Amino acid sequence: MPDAPAGTERRGFLKLLAGAFAALAAALATVPVLGTVVTPLMKPKADDGGLLRAAGLGELVEGVPKRVELTSVLVDGWTRSVGIIGAVWLLKKPDGSITAMSSVCPHSGCSINQKSKSTYGCPCHDSTFELDGKASEGPSPRPMDTLEVQVKDKDVFVKYRRFKIGVPEKTEIG
Ligand code: FES
């Protein structure tokens, strides 16, 4: 049997090599696609489990409550967005420490406002709270809910949590 011409062998080898490169390129192209599809499934629904920046230290005036809305990155399936997850009342005390209390009324969940220089009030059923959160009037079954605060450099961070409403005990629900 006669040998194949040298050019035919070379062409076959080059075709094989081109096919191998094409297969490798196709395999590499699927890596980012797989990452996009699989990554959201492995992430928590919202990454608000930690501390959220609430304000700069310089924004707080001693004895004057400041309401701030906390934002966090929300993950819903493959959609990521930044949204407001809740509001808190910050207060700088005479010793320089900072307290944070949820703006959610423990009675039925309405949003607590500042009522006077020294009190907060809930517009729904007229509960009144002292600046330290103690319930002084109205149907609220407990004080305003306190939240963990940390000051790092010149920023105030709050660990936002939600609590069961309508009960005397402060019970975290998420
Ligand atoms: S919800 Fe606040 S007093 Fe009822």
Side-chain angles (χ1 to χ4, degrees), residues 5-154:
T8 309
E9 247 178 56
R10 196 176 314 124
R11 248 179 268 128
F13 174 73
L14 288 176
K15 269 189 187 171
L16 201 66
L17 197 61
F21 273 121
L24 182 65
L28 288 176
T30 63
V31 171
V33 174
L34 279 177
T36 304
V37 172
V38 173
T39 304
L41 299 176
M42 298 186 305
K43 290 201 169 162
K45 284 192 176 164
D47 58 357
D48 60 352
L51 294 164
L52 301 171
R53 186 188 178 282
L57 251 187
E59 296 172 54
L60 303 179
V61 177
E62 185 188 312
V64 180
K66 180 178 175 67
R67 185 183 186 277
V68 293
E69 291 177 337
L70 299 176
T71 57
S72 181
V73 176
L74 306 170
V75 180
D76 180 12
W78 285 266
T79 306
R80 290 172 69 84
S81 59
V82 175
I84 296 168
I85 61 161
V88 297
W89 283 99
L90 298 177
L91 181 66
K92 185 177 181 182
K93 299 205 292 193
D95 65 1
S97 64
I98 312 289
T99 60
M101 292 184 289
S102 172
S103 70
V104 177
C105 180
H107 179 233
S108 285
C110 292
S111 185
I112 295 170
N113 300 321
Q114 189 169 8
K115 190 172 180 179
S116 70
K117 270 189 172 179
S118 58
T119 57
Y120 301 102
C122 179
C124 291
H125 311 99
D126 281 334
S127 280
T128 302
F129 306 89
E130 306 299 322
L131 282 193
D132 63 1
K134 190 176 134 214
S136 55
E137 280 176 42
S140 181
R142 64 173 189 266
M144 289 170 70
D145 296 311
T146 53
L147 298 162
E148 183 184 328
V149 175
Q150 281 185 30
V151 177
K152 294 180 187 174
D153 297 325
K154 294 188 172 170

